[in-house]
Amino acid sequence: MKHISKYFTGVKANDDINIELRQGEVLALLGENGAGKTTLMNILFGIYKADSGEILINGEKAHISSPHDALKYGVGMVQQHFTLVPSFTTAENIVLGLKELGFIPKTKNVESRIEELGKRYGLPVNPRAKVWTLSVGEKQRIEILKLLYTGAKILILDEPTAVLTPQEAEALFEAVRKMVADGASVIFISHKLDEVMEVSDRVTVLRSGKVVGTANTAEITKNDLARMMVGREVILDIEKPEVEIGKKVLEINNLKVKNDKGLIAVNGISLEIRAGEVLGIAGVAGNGQRELAEAVYGLRRAESGKVLLNGKDITNLSVSRRIREGIAYIPEDRKETATCPDLSVANNLFLKNTITRLVNSTHYFVDRKKIMEKASELIESYSIMTPSPKMPVKLLSGGNIQKVVLARELSTSPSLIIASHPTRGLDIGAMEFVYRTLLEQKKRGAAILLLAGELYEIFRLSDRVAVIYEGEIAGYAPPDPAYIEEIGLMMGGSKKAGEAR
Ligand SMILES: Nc1ncnc2c1ncn2[C@@H]1O[C@H](COP(=O)(O)OP(=O)(O)OP(=O)(O)O)[C@@H](O)[C@H]1O
Ligand SMILES: [Mg+2]
């Protein structure tokens, strides 16, 4: 891609970018939230048209003005947010993509070919399953198989591991290595430096729409990358403050909750969290974490059992009553649950204002001027990259959408914070900021229920770690790497009830 520039109102998303992808390599694309990575890839995949610059494929000028064109050149992309039709099966979704290209294959043939491809690349999927019943890991495998099915030779993966468990990420890397061995070239976007070091051959770093530099992965260190990305040193080892643990804030007694399929997902969980305490829940995704969080927040009904907040029974209260009682929630899904994508940044920041009263409005009128003022303050303090508070949230970069959610949830003074993957999709500078903010809330006396996929995040923030397995607490452990093995065993269901309570 040569001299690529792309302007949006108020932003230079790509500013004279030159990048090069060689046959059979994995090129990692790195950069802060809003640096322009997705925009650049959207140009290569034909979703956006560059304002200037050109794309050359095998030395020839490529004319790409739609994903359809891109696929003809063998360019395929797995987008940052999935594009599958939930009510269709795996195979039907793939057929849908192929129809676009002018093939009309028989669903039966597609099914067997998907199984074959899945086996070859170690990406197992069930071709006859409806997409809505699948986990995010499975959905992503379908997106990748969709590309492989079309014979794409240049594969763009935009933050593919943000939603995966470490085991799923490992399997994805294996598949990437096979693709490359088969002659494909891969562009891989990630904020996780360990992954970039593991899977890429070369790295190109972007900052504010410009290329900062390109390097051979073997010749650089993680710290070099961090510095290139952020332009300064990043300290991720933030010390936990000494905080006096106070009164009981959250108490859950023998809670049972069903999942969307009507099966028991939380199977009799009891736990408590005190003021100033962070309880980290470790577990493989899909073991009841989501249902637990939603039941505490009131999005999901409790089949039986009790939830108490500051001693008060809230089991059957509405969500708005629970917010008023002081619960904040950072859901795992920022586009479907956490924000209204078409509303402005300001409106998303103050969605709950009728309840939280962050801006003093009267009962009947919203004080728009004050909301704009306060929004600008939050945008500033959370470094949300947006040209204006009036920008629809869906036009922000992935990480900046996450920051809007964090700003809304953490700017009040909740007594309980449910944080589900709070740093998902954030660059390392923003991650550092979120850790500090959560720890400040802890210092202030908030109780925090932390659900995260990665143990290092849980260790860094938690006072105690509970392991969830098949909807039950398998045991507790201290947040100490010395206990990794014990925690791992409990996560896999092969050990019950850790001693260290
Ligand atoms: N359709 C659009 N309209 C207006 N602005 C846009 C649009 N798409 C992207 N932008 C802006 O362009 C900039 C670059 O965004 P981009 O999504 O490329 O960032 P990114 O590097 O992928 O970040 P992240 O790591 O957070 O995903 C951001 O400021 C974003 O708000
Ligand atoms: Mg992006």
Side-chain angles (χ1 to χ4, degrees):
M1 300 180 80
K2 280 188 164 173
H3 302 295
I4 301 280
S5 291
K6 177 76 186 168
Y7 302 84
F8 295 111
T9 356
V11 212
K12 245 185 189 176
N14 287 168
D15 186 0
D16 194 22
I17 289 187
N18 293 293
I19 66 159
E20 185 183 293
L21 175 68
R22 300 171 186 165
Q23 146 126 57
E25 77 166 350
V26 179
L27 174 71
L29 207 53
L30 211 62
E32 286 184 284
N33 295 128
K37 305 175 296 290
T38 299
T39 302
L40 185 67
M41 291 303 107
N42 279 341
I43 291 170
L44 182 54
F45 190 51
I47 292 175
Y48 291 155
K49 195 163 169 27
D51 295 324
S52 59
E54 56 180 10
I55 302 173
L56 301 172
I57 293 178
N58 294 323
E60 304 214 357
K61 198 171 153 105
H63 300 275
I64 299 177
S65 50
S66 68
H68 184 127
D69 292 345
L71 287 168
K72 281 196 296 193
Y73 283 101
V75 176
M77 174 165 174
V78 175
Q79 285 170 266
Q80 203 166 352
H81 299 101
F82 296 148
T83 59
L84 301 169
V85 182
S87 55
F88 281 14
T89 67
T90 304
E92 285 163 352
N93 265 286
I94 290 179
V95 171
L96 199 65
L98 293 170
K99 273 194 182 139
E100 256 300 292
L101 283 175
F103 306 113
I104 318 233
K106 285 212 176 70
T107 308
K108 264 233 139 32
N109 300 345
V110 173
E111 286 175 356
S112 56
R113 178 93 178 105
I114 296 169
E115 271 172 341
E116 217 176 283
L117 278 172
K119 270 209 196 87
R120 160 143 190 70
Y121 288 99
L123 300 168
V125 294
N126 174 359
R128 284 163 287 273
K130 298 260 193 230
V131 164
W132 69 268
T133 66
L134 303 178
S135 72
V136 278
E138 290 169 301
K139 284 182 205 164
Q140 183 177 66
R141 294 205 282 273
I142 300 174
E143 295 275 12
I144 295 171
L145 289 173
K146 206 163 87 180
L147 297 187
L148 293 171
Y149 202 110
T150 62
K153 283 287 174 219
I154 297 174
L155 294 117
I156 307 163
L157 307 177
D158 193 352
E159 287 192 48
T161 58
V163 293
L164 298 184
T165 63
Q167 295 85 338
E168 287 172 325
E170 245 344 288
L172 173 69
F173 297 155
E174 270 310 305
V176 165
R177 286 186 197 108
K178 288 210 179 87
M179 293 172 204
V180 166
D182 285 353
S185 308
V186 177
I187 300 180
F188 170 74
I189 302 181
S190 172
H191 290 292
K192 300 178 190 165
L193 300 180
D194 287 321
E195 296 181 355
V196 168
M197 297 303 288
E198 180 183 339
V199 82
S200 72
D201 298 299
R202 291 189 310 134
V203 190
T204 293
V205 180
L206 302 185
R207 198 193 310 151
S208 313
K210 289 196 173 78
V211 174
V212 184
T214 297
N216 291 322
T217 312
E219 291 162 13
I220 45 165
T221 65
K222 270 201 306 189
N223 285 345
D224 296 336
L225 287 177
R227 211 173 317 109
M228 271 165 96
M229 262 176 74
V230 187
R232 63 175 168 88
E233 290 289 335
V234 179
I235 331 145
L236 272 180
D237 278 313
I238 296 164
E239 287 219 2
K240 269 180 229 163
E242 283 295 323
V243 176
E244 193 142 335
I245 305 293
K247 64 178 175 48
K248 223 185 268 176
V249 174
L250 177 69
E251 188 178 345
I252 298 177
N253 288 323
N254 202 13
L255 183 69
K256 291 195 180 176
V257 187
K258 285 185 179 163
N259 63 15
D260 290 338
K261 294 171 203 166
L263 305 171
I264 286 288
V266 174
N267 194 10
I269 283 186
S270 300
L271 56 82
E272 59 176 61
I273 312 178
R274 293 175 173 269
E277 189 184 34
V278 182
L279 175 67
I281 306 263
V284 176
N287 273 284
Q289 294 93 323
R290 180 185 193 139
E291 289 80 6
L292 174 65
E294 291 183 349
V296 175
Y297 193 58
L299 287 173
R300 201 175 276 276
R301 204 166 63 89
E303 296 301 318
S304 63
K306 277 201 183 334
V307 181
L308 295 116
L309 186 71
N310 296 317
K312 178 173 176 178
D313 186 347
I314 59 164
T315 319
N316 296 311
L317 290 190
S318 65
V319 176
S320 56
R321 287 287 303 281
R322 292 186 207 215
I323 296 170
R324 211 164 280 142
E325 296 291 334
I327 306 188
Y329 180 37
I330 301 160
E332 60 179 13
D333 188 328
R334 58 190 170 221
K335 273 219 161 154
E336 273 167 35
T337 320
T339 56
C340 296
D342 289 306
L343 293 186
S344 68
V345 172
N347 282 338
N348 268 287
L349 284 172
F350 294 98
L351 272 182
K352 294 178 170 175
N353 196 56
T354 49
I355 302 165
T356 58
R357 293 301 172 106
L358 209 54
V359 170
N360 249 330
S361 304
T362 66
H363 213 73
Y364 300 101
F365 297 100
V366 177
D367 188 340
R368 288 188 195 281
K369 199 166 145 253
K370 272 216 197 104
I371 284 197
M372 281 300 162
E373 271 170 35
K374 193 85 183 132
S376 303
E377 279 171 40
L378 286 177
I379 287 168
E380 166 94 32
S381 57
Y382 282 80
S383 328
I384 299 168
M385 248 182 82
T386 175
S388 133
K390 293 187 179 147
M391 182 90 156
V393 125
K394 66 175 178 195
L395 296 182
L396 299 193
S397 80
N400 282 295
I401 298 177
Q402 179 75 355
K403 290 190 200 170
V404 171
V405 177
L406 290 163
R408 183 183 66 216
E409 297 302 322
L410 300 180
S411 53
T412 55
S413 302
S415 56
L416 172 69
I417 300 167
I418 310 166
S420 201
H421 306 274
T423 60
R424 178 176 277 175
L426 294 186
D427 65 55
I428 48 172
M431 204 183 260
E432 182 190 19
F433 173 78
V434 171
Y435 290 160
R436 285 189 199 288
T437 313
L438 283 173
L439 290 174
E440 267 159 33
Q441 292 279 353
K442 167 187 163 74
K443 229 157 128 185
R444 188 185 52 77
I448 302 179
L449 175 64
L450 173 72
L451 302 112
E454 275 161 277
L455 284 179
Y456 79 90
E457 182 154 306
I458 289 188
F459 285 163
R460 197 158 282 157
L461 296 172
S462 311
D463 298 294
R464 289 183 298 146
V465 183
V467 179
I468 191 168
Y469 178 72
E470 292 193 337
E472 293 177 33
I473 300 291
Y476 286 84
D480 181 340
Y483 288 84
I484 278 194
E485 200 170 314
E486 183 171 339
I487 292 172
L489 285 173
M490 287 194 276
M491 280 170 69
S494 32
K495 186 165 188 248
K496 280 237 156 180
E499 301 77 48
R501 238 161 228 265

